[in-house]
Amino acid sequence: MISDPEALRAGRRWLSIAGRVRGDGGIVPVRFGFTASRRHARRAVDRNTAKRVLREAARRHVEELDAAAAGRAVDIVLRLKAAVPGRAALARGEWKQALRAEADALLAQLAQRLRGAEAGR
């Protein structure tokens, strides 16, 4: 497998993010994808909750990412990478807060890297 020099990747405890600048310049400057596999979230309600939280974070950051992309087209995928904790280990509300915080941090980090890549052009 060959590493992609255009890819922007990062991860935290619960989530990972991958971003790629598209060469076509596309009509939609920033596109998002969200994944939550059955391997990490057995119950459909957990998978849907995770994707809902990720969509909410994306909506909050879309303008910032669009400005950071500076006319370039970017694809971003947010992925649940760790198993959903049992109810005894972590309350549902705390888990959702942790997901929100990680998604916000990863999207802000991606925006910063996009701005840095633009400055280096």
Side-chain angles (χ1 to χ4, degrees):
M1 185 167 146
I2 299 171
S3 179
D4 184 1
E6 292 291 314
L8 307 165
R9 294 185 180 99
R12 297 277 173 110
R13 165 72 175 97
W14 301 105
L15 300 172
S16 68
I17 190 170
R20 170 111 170 71
V21 177
R22 295 190 318 268
D24 63 2
I27 296 170
V28 179
V30 179
R31 297 189 306 184
F32 288 96
F34 310 100
T35 64
S37 71
R38 206 164 161 198
R39 177 181 180 187
H40 298 306
R42 285 311 258 169
R43 299 180 336 146
V45 68
D46 293 333
R47 292 191 298 274
N48 291 335
T49 298
K51 289 188 278 188
R52 190 176 304 118
V53 168
L54 297 178
R55 279 193 299 269
E56 179 185 328
R59 273 193 293 272
R60 280 197 307 260
H61 288 272
V62 72
E63 289 179 10
E64 176 187 5
L65 288 163
D66 190 22
R72 297 172 292 171
V74 181
D75 290 335
I76 300 167
V77 177
L78 286 161
R79 179 178 68 92
L80 183 67
K81 72 172 195 172
V84 174
R87 293 177 188 205
L90 192 63
R92 181 74 43 219
E94 292 174 6
W95 178 66
K96 285 171 61 175
Q97 285 180 340
L99 279 180
R100 276 189 205 111
E102 284 191 14
D104 288 340
L106 287 170
L107 289 168
Q109 181 180 353
L110 180 64
Q112 182 179 6
R113 288 188 61 193
L114 286 170
R115 281 190 293 273
E118 179 63 23
R121 285 177 132 196

